[in-house]
Amino acid sequence: MNDIIGITMGDPVGVGPEITVKALAEMTPEQRAKTRVFGNLATLEAAQKVVGTSLDLSGLVEDLDVPGAPLPWGRLDPAAGDAAFRFIEAAVRAAEAGAIGCIVTAPINKAALNAAGHHYDGHTGLLRSLTAADSAFMLLASERLEVIHVSTHVSLKEAIGRVTPERVLDTIRAGHAHLRRIGIETPRIAVAGLNPHCGENGLFGNEDVEQIGPAIAQARDEGISVEGPISADTVYYRAYQGGFDLVIAQYHDQGHIPIKLVAFDTTVNVTVGLPIDRTSVDHGTAFDIAGTGKANHTNMNAAIAYARKLAAGRCQ
């Protein structure tokens, strides 16, 4: 496997360039030799001035043009959204060609991306489209809790509609396959319920029985160790205490809130189901502090570490 990782710089006016150069500065020379950055050199050099690093970036960066770079920090800009798209597209093509083993993405701004004419709900949908994958799933990984989502960046009303037996089963399968890949021979999976107390036998809705239950039964028939649906107000505690290796969350906030509570700075966003590997920070562009040098790169370091393990074929 190719153990070179490719970092996409993210939105040029957000904190992505800063956390990228901070992470690069902390790498050993050997690690930097196995790293490529897909971004804009002028922006990254401006970020170095902000954070106080002084690396020679010329040999590390796949330099893509950003008109007017460096752009003003912290201002939503369609030109920045378009640049962020092109950084990701270049990294995907490199991964597909085998030039890099895993992509690490710095944050993009969804409003800027869409203002530039790239109409996606975020990285996961964009990557699925660029790779022509049938589906893609957001998995959040931390030391003691892992969560994969049935749906992510949609309205709550739409998320409820996406809780179908087919989609829930596909999510279980994707999570199971990923955990097997990273060395868990028999993953223990829990499926969170959608309604309070899993609907309380229909008192609070029938989705848990009619939509989620059949998916769990089918997964069990396929030999997957899965329990549920389990009330969402208890399942994450049980998983955090070691009872499960993975929780299937039914929608964005149901999965994001518990894992960000217990591992805010170290949670890694992993896209599962693509023909290429991708990890990411689990935070946004933070326009309010962009250009100040204050951005914390702990999450970027965690995403890079996970990516190196994926690229090397070992995640234990």
Side-chain angles (χ1 to χ4, degrees):
M1 297 183 68
N2 191 330
D3 60 356
I4 297 174
I5 65 165
I7 301 174
T8 59
M9 189 183 79
D11 191 299
V13 303
V15 297
E18 295 169 64
I19 62 174
T20 298
V21 296
K22 283 184 175 183
L24 289 170
E26 291 185 357
M27 292 180 188
T28 66
E30 292 76 18
Q31 289 172 330
R32 281 196 292 272
K34 295 183 177 181
T35 305
R36 290 173 62 189
V37 179
F38 295 83
N40 174 258
L41 184 57
T43 302
L44 290 163
E45 289 177 340
Q48 285 215 104
K49 292 179 181 178
V50 167
V51 304
T53 57
S54 56
L55 290 173
D56 179 4
L57 299 174
S58 56
L60 295 173
V61 180
E62 184 80 18
D63 187 18
L64 300 172
D65 182 55
V66 177
L71 300 171
W73 299 109
R75 298 180 187 176
L76 193 149
D77 190 331
D82 181 64
F85 173 85
R86 290 186 287 110
F87 302 155
I88 297 164
E89 184 179 41
V92 167
R93 301 308 171 218
E96 290 176 327
I100 58 176
C102 187
I103 300 172
V104 181
T105 58
I108 59 175
N109 184 279
K110 297 176 186 65
L113 183 72
N114 280 267
H118 306 295
H119 301 299
Y120 300 97
D121 62 356
H123 272 111
T124 304
L126 171 54
L127 290 164
R128 183 194 57 76
S129 176
L130 287 173
T131 59
D134 291 333
S135 59
F137 302 87
M138 180 186 291
L139 184 147
L140 300 181
S142 69
E143 184 177 355
R144 290 180 59 181
L145 182 64
E146 296 207 12
V147 180
I148 189 170
H149 299 72
V150 173
S151 69
T152 50
H153 297 126
V154 296
S155 71
L156 186 55
K157 181 178 180 180
E158 186 174 345
I160 294 170
R162 292 195 183 192
V163 179
T164 65
E166 296 77 17
R167 178 70 180 178
V168 174
L169 178 59
D170 285 346
T171 310
I172 295 170
R173 289 169 172 163
H176 178 261
H178 180 76
L179 292 188
R180 292 262 309 196
R181 179 186 172 192
I182 65 174
I184 302 175
E185 186 174 347
T186 306
R188 300 163 301 157
I189 299 173
V191 180
L194 175 67
N195 295 305
H197 309 295
C198 299
E200 200 76 74
N201 296 315
L203 288 175
F204 311 137
N206 296 314
E207 290 87 355
D208 294 272
V209 173
E210 297 177 357
Q211 305 296 104
I212 299 174
I216 295 170
Q218 177 61 39
R220 286 175 179 158
D221 287 344
E222 295 175 8
I224 298 174
S225 176
V226 56
E227 293 185 28
I230 301 172
S231 182
D233 62 4
T234 63
V235 68
Y236 295 98
Y237 175 79
R238 290 175 61 184
Y240 187 73
Q241 294 299 318
F244 301 105
D245 300 304
L246 178 69
V247 178
I248 309 296
Q250 300 301 330
Y251 55 91
H252 182 281
D253 283 10
Q254 190 190 66
H256 277 61
I257 290 171
I259 199 165
K260 286 194 173 185
L261 177 65
V262 300
F264 187 83
D265 289 326
T266 56
T267 296
V268 177
N269 184 331
V270 184
T271 304
V272 175
L274 299 177
I276 60 174
D277 285 324
R278 174 257 181 173
T279 70
S280 181
V281 297
D282 191 38
H283 62 74
T285 47
F287 282 169
D288 57 325
I289 61 169
T292 67
K294 296 179 180 178
N296 187 334
H297 62 297
T298 300
N299 203 196
M300 174 59 88
N301 283 342
I304 289 170
Y306 200 105
R308 291 203 189 282
K309 292 176 182 178
L310 282 175
R314 52 180 174 81
C315 268
Q316 289 182 295

